[in-house]
Amino acid sequence: MENNELEIKRHSCAHIMAAAVQQLFPGTKLGIGPAVDNGFYYDFDCPHTFTPEDLKTIETKMKELIKARIPFECKQMSKAEAKEFFEKRGETYKLELLEELNDGEITLYFTGDYADLCRGPHVEHTGKINNFKLSSIAGAYWRGDEKNATLQRIYGLSFNTKDELNAYIKQQEEAAKRDHRKLGPELDLFSINDHIGPGLIIMHPKGGMLRKVLEDWIKTENLKRGYDLVVSPHIARLHLFEISGHAGFYSDSMFHPMEVDGDNYQIKPMNCPFHVEIYKSNLRSYRDLPLRYSELGTVYRYERSGALHGLLRVRGFTQDDAHIFCTPEQVEEEVKQCFEFAMHIFKTFGFEKYSVELSTRDPEHPEHFTGEVADWERAESALKRVLESNNIAYTTHAGEAAFYGPKIDIKVMDAIGRLWQLSTIQFDFNLPQRFDLEYVAAEGRKRPIMVHRAMFGSIERFTGVILEHFAGWFPLWLAPVQAKILTLTDDQVPYAKEVAAQMRAAGLRPELDLRPEKLGLKIREAHLERVPYTIIVGAKEAENKALTIRLRDGKNLNGLPMADVIAKMKEEVDTFSLTNLLQ
């Protein structure tokens, strides 16, 4: 986060909250309390288990401290003095942090009786704080390590103005309604089962249909752009990942190898080494390039259980992965086409705004990256030229590159203003070198450049994002069930089945509800299932070969000819329309 006035206020707010907690709950030990995007948090080791009601009490105490205009005072101490100070207070977590500091680096900030090991800066006094609200309670491992003690984390919000605070609270309330972890099970799309394991997703029939639609769409778009579809296995000899460098640079995110026939095999964390081997299977000419290999490849990565988050952070997921092998002269055009592909995806799925980040190598920590400095500089320059020549605004993040090359990340803004990381375009000169890739040029053998590219990111993550973006109300072409056909009595069952058969013949996805239940109940259930069109079939509709359509907003379209409805729905699907054409 940028070090500015708002960040200072948020950090100061964290201290005031911690002071309030220690006054209200004696014996509470302090963890850490930084400023973060949209606010702040503090981790506590407290004998009392915090409740939502406690947040109101803590807020009231904070307002008392703010009204008192207590100064933030900075004092510098020697390490020995600070150690003695925190030992007297029983602040074991602060003592652990203190051990990592040297004399001359130690500053404490005092706010009345409250004291914290902190570099600062802070506001002048507590009276400078306003426009905040405590928002939630969560568990957090001390220093992010699941082997350490579990602390209680209290999150707070803080903004410059009351309007900004209220707008963010309203956005969060809407986000809670759209939470894919809630909507997914409610709409019978997916589940996570303890018998199978955390971070491993089961797609139910409706989720499987949604996934098929997404996979078919992205495969078709890849083929239009000259990609070849490839398939690779889920495991390989560990040696493959030793050559690629993943076993060295990426081992913390890999599952342990398994022994097969006396050899170590690895469940794959990446698809790229397999695509490299496909490239190596034949001698390539410069006339063959670029080669574009695309795969919906399922990979497995170890994520800490505390980091798992529905479909957004999982241990097994399917990347819409692609690798482009090209000459140095072709690389900028290939990156440009990848970017244009991403823009096409965003438009198709209704994302109107996006931001772009360029992640580069951190020259101060070369141990985190592989390859020659000159190669990195050329690669970073190439990505910058693509962005700048196409007038694409971007921010640069040093040290955030993959270990094998710089990358472009594209984040989209959803319907309620949140940013989501989706598409990634990565430059790679590491794998071509490690696997000794070549192509035959007019002047001899040369090494190709490799571009990694994922447009959706992963099918699972993309599903979670669009589920929240559309709040479960998918456009017709994406909806697992596109129409729910409801009958009033058993007399209309034959006609309802005829309608469903005609829709299926047109490539649509209807579902019948022939139960002898009240129509109002069946309509409510169809609405809760987020079905785009609810079709009502009564005696009049059956007699006239017509349909009554109930829209999402409750409006009825009465007596439409069946053939016209099917034709209009087919048009809506074929054009990937984001709005209903039946109005």
Side-chain angles (χ1 to χ4, degrees), residues 508-522:
L508 299 172
R509 298 186 290 276
E511 190 173 275
L512 288 161
D513 187 347
L514 308 178
R515 295 174 301 161
E517 299 285 353
K518 290 182 179 180
L519 182 62
L521 171 66
K522 295 203 276 189

Side-chain angles (χ1 to χ4, degrees), residues 346-367:
F346 302 159
K347 182 179 179 182
T348 301
F349 288 86
F351 297 108
E352 297 178 356
K353 297 180 180 179
Y354 62 89
S355 66
V356 179
E357 297 176 356
L358 174 62
S359 297
T360 62
R361 172 180 177 270
D362 182 355
E364 295 184 8
H365 293 281
E367 70 277 9

Side-chain angles (χ1 to χ4, degrees), residues 271-272 275 291-294 321-325 450-452:
N271 299 303
C272 36
H275 295 190
L291 285 172
R292 307 181 186 100
Y293 297 147
S294 172
D321 217 355
H323 296 93
I324 302 167
F325 301 88
M450 186 174 174
V451 176
H452 302 245

Side-chain angles (χ1 to χ4, degrees), residues 421-439:
Q421 167 62 52
L422 287 183
S423 303
T424 298
I425 306 165
Q426 297 181 338
F427 203 108
D428 188 352
F429 38 80
N430 168 57
L431 288 184
Q433 182 176 3
R434 283 178 171 269
F435 284 89
D436 194 24
L437 301 189
E438 292 181 331
Y439 65 90

Side-chain angles (χ1 to χ4, degrees), residues 523 532-536 548-552 554-557:
I523 288 173
Y533 293 126
T534 300
I535 298 176
I536 301 168
T548 291
I549 311 297
R550 188 174 183 87
L551 303 177
R552 171 184 169 184
K555 178 182 176 183
N556 280 353
L557 305 175

